[in-house]
Amino acid sequence: MLVLVTGAAGQLGLSLNHLVDQNKSNHQFIFATRELLDLSDFKFIRNFIKKNQFDVIINCAAYTHVEKAESEKDKADLVNHLSVNNLAEIANDSGIKLIHISTDYVFDGSKNETYDETDLTAPLNVYGQTKLDGEAAILSKMELNAIIIRTSWVYSKYGNNFVDKILNLTQKKEKLTIISDQIGSPTNAKDLAGAILCILNKKKFYEDDFHSEIFHYSNDGECSWYHFAKEIANIAGTKCDITPIDSRDYPQKALRPKCVLMDNTKIQNYFDLKILFWKDSLKNCIQDLSNSSK
């Protein structure tokens, strides 16, 4: 199988690349950064995919700056919706399997229980709406052969993310205030990448009548951003004083859902996956960061 990974310079793309390098695979991968593959050039994308005859596309590319999306709606829509629509059309025309990454921000966070894949969506911000529009585009174009994976609070040992920020800030500052009234499930990109590679090795994914499906994936458990930050500092052994703050005292352009906890049961059962508890996976990430700095 020849697999195209878009958004290769992002956290998930880099994590996928690392796992592929570390483990033997029966598949061949092309990891495409924005410089190699500009998803906004629809004609070029179609020609590139047709020329290379890919069997699977893993779309990790996304506009993820939640705040900027409020004032850059067209840019967010281009990456998260229109380019996804183009990929879905190409995949459908060519019989290519598509794995697309979406977000928990398609929900408004008003449910008092975990969200499953059939729950009604109601994004609170532009980012969430453009991601939902991308999902809808896939499902309208691809009755078969597509997987949409909604994930949440993604972090990794790569780049600019919450774990990286907290590690840096707790080393430089004596005190931090972190939002405590938004609840979710952190997701180590390495674990999500591992789940995707596991899916690639499942025979059922390649069945001719594989109906397009939405799945939820995050690490198990729940926390607030405040408790997430406290655990990061605890594992790293930093002594910064971290105190909670309400989101109303931390003004932001984009509204965030108060509580989105996604039910991972479907993806675990469907593909026989095991999912780590978020604290255990966080320890693994911080250990990876420590090892890479030596």
Side-chain angles (χ1 to χ4, degrees):
M1 293 289 176
L2 182 58
V3 182
L4 171 64
V5 180
T6 64
Q11 294 188 84
L12 182 56
L14 290 169
S15 297
L16 277 165
N17 202 338
H18 178 75
L19 288 183
V20 168
D21 287 344
Q22 294 292 312
N23 300 280
K24 292 182 179 179
S25 176
N26 296 324
H27 311 295
Q28 291 181 294
F29 291 81
I30 291 180
F31 289 90
T33 62
R34 188 182 307 166
E35 288 71 28
L36 173 65
L37 208 58
D38 182 359
L39 294 182
S40 66
D41 189 338
F42 294 173
K43 185 177 180 180
F44 176 80
I45 294 298
R46 180 173 286 274
N47 290 336
F48 180 85
I49 292 173
K50 183 178 180 181
K51 177 182 177 182
N52 287 279
Q53 297 184 320
F54 293 102
D55 299 292
V56 182
I57 298 171
I58 304 173
N59 184 35
C60 303
Y63 181 109
T64 58
H65 201 302
V66 178
E67 283 295 282
K68 282 187 177 180
E70 295 298 308
S71 56
E72 295 182 350
K73 183 176 180 179
D74 289 345
K75 289 183 180 180
D77 190 63
L78 176 60
V79 178
N80 294 343
H81 169 216
L82 298 179
S83 68
V84 174
N85 182 74
N86 185 52
L87 284 177
E89 287 182 347
I90 297 167
N92 188 63
D93 292 345
S94 304
I96 298 171
K97 303 286 185 180
L98 175 64
I99 299 176
H100 173 71
I101 309 304
S102 191
T103 176
D104 62 323
Y105 274 31
V106 299
F107 299 114
D108 65 7
S110 62
K111 188 180 180 183
N112 292 323
E113 303 172 70
T114 56
Y115 284 88
D116 65 32
E117 292 81 356
T118 64
D119 281 317
L120 292 176
T121 53
L124 297 177
N125 52 51
V126 169
Y127 165 70
Q129 185 61 56
T130 59
K131 292 295 287 182
L132 181 60
D133 291 343
E135 291 185 11
I138 292 172
L139 296 176
S140 68
K141 296 293 190 300
M142 301 181 70
E143 181 181 352
L144 303 173
N145 296 329
I147 287 177
I148 296 167
I149 301 177
R150 293 173 179 152
T151 190
S152 59
W153 295 23
V154 177
Y155 68 91
S156 70
K157 68 176 184 177
Y158 303 107
N160 187 24
N161 58 71
F162 188 76
V163 172
D164 178 64
K165 288 179 181 176
I166 296 300
L167 287 172
N168 286 329
L169 287 172
T170 54
Q171 289 172 2
K172 296 175 182 177
K173 295 191 175 186
E174 294 182 357
K175 294 183 179 181
L176 285 178
T177 54
I178 304 293
I179 290 173
S180 62
D181 59 347
Q182 292 175 13
I183 308 298
S185 298
T187 305
N188 188 338
K190 182 179 180 180
D191 293 347
L192 178 55
I196 292 170
L197 293 180
C198 181
I199 290 170
L200 286 181
N201 292 323
K202 297 294 183 180
K203 290 182 179 179
K204 65 171 60 179
F205 181 49
Y206 300 99
E207 294 172 353
D208 292 337
D209 61 347
F210 181 88
H211 282 268
S212 297
E213 294 275 359
I214 297 174
F215 295 95
H216 290 170
Y217 185 97
S218 63
N219 284 118
D220 277 345
E222 64 182 80
C223 63
S224 66
W225 290 110
Y226 162 71
H227 288 106
F228 192 12
K230 290 278 285 185
E231 188 64 20
I232 294 166
N234 178 55
I235 294 170
T238 54
K239 297 180 180 180
C240 179
D241 181 20
I242 302 175
T243 57
I245 185 175
D246 286 345
S247 53
R248 65 173 179 267
D249 298 322
Y250 188 83
Q252 295 174 305
K253 291 181 182 178
L255 292 174
R256 267 79 166 173
K258 287 288 186 179
C259 181
V260 178
L261 300 171
M262 296 190 298
D263 189 335
N264 296 324
T265 303
K266 181 180 176 182
I267 198 168
Q268 288 185 89
N269 292 341
Y270 205 94
F271 293 111
D272 192 26
L273 298 178
K274 294 182 179 179
I275 299 179
L276 287 177
F277 186 62
W278 73 269
K279 288 186 180 181
D280 296 326
S281 196
L282 177 61
K283 289 177 184 176
N284 292 341
C285 179
I286 293 176
Q287 183 62 54
D288 286 344
L289 280 167
S290 177
N291 292 338
S292 63
S293 65
K294 291 179 181 178

